[in-house]
Amino acid sequence: MSNKPLVLITGCAGFLGGHLIDELATKEADVIGIDKAAGHIHDRKNIKINKMDILSEKGISGIRRDLDKAGNKETYLVHLMGITGTEECERDKVLA
């Protein structure tokens, strides 16, 4: 990663996150996208996609590792992660 700002996006595979990834691909920023369903989006020149669940211990460790690598660079968090679909909301009312 370079000295460009770092943008960390949760929910990067969703509607808003996907469009933001596309836009940031053309900007002077390093981007880390995180989503547990990120199979349809891929790394690009300045974008690293991590398929992980940030609610898990492994996911939290992965984010901390990425932030440690970034060092003291200017960092932004765009939190777009959310529960999707009525079935999932009905199944897990606490998370919804």
Side-chain angles (χ1 to χ4, degrees):
M1 299 235 170
S2 66
N3 286 330
K4 299 182 282 187
L6 173 66
V7 181
L8 180 66
I9 303 171
T10 65
C12 69
F15 180 79
L16 294 175
H19 284 284
L20 184 55
I21 288 282
D22 289 341
E23 181 65 24
L24 290 173
T26 67
K27 305 296 182 198
E28 288 296 317
D30 289 321
V31 179
I32 298 174
I34 300 169
D35 201 298
K36 66 180 180 180
H40 66 281
I41 54 177
H42 304 285
D43 291 351
R44 300 179 214 173
K45 181 181 80 169
N46 61 326
I47 296 176
K48 177 183 172 193
I49 302 298
N50 290 325
K51 183 177 180 179
M52 67 174 72
D53 183 354
I54 67 168
L55 298 178
S56 70
E57 183 65 36
K58 184 178 179 183
I60 295 292
S61 297
I63 292 169
R64 293 188 74 182
R65 188 174 42 255
D66 287 336
L67 291 174
D68 286 345
K69 286 180 191 175
N72 293 326
K73 70 167 44 183
E74 188 175 1
T75 304
Y76 300 91
L77 170 64
V78 182
H79 181 53
L80 299 173
M81 181 189 84
I83 194 167
T84 59
T86 55
E87 287 180 22
E88 195 170 351
C89 290
E90 287 298 319
R91 189 172 47 250
D92 193 341
K93 293 185 186 291
V94 172
L95 189 59

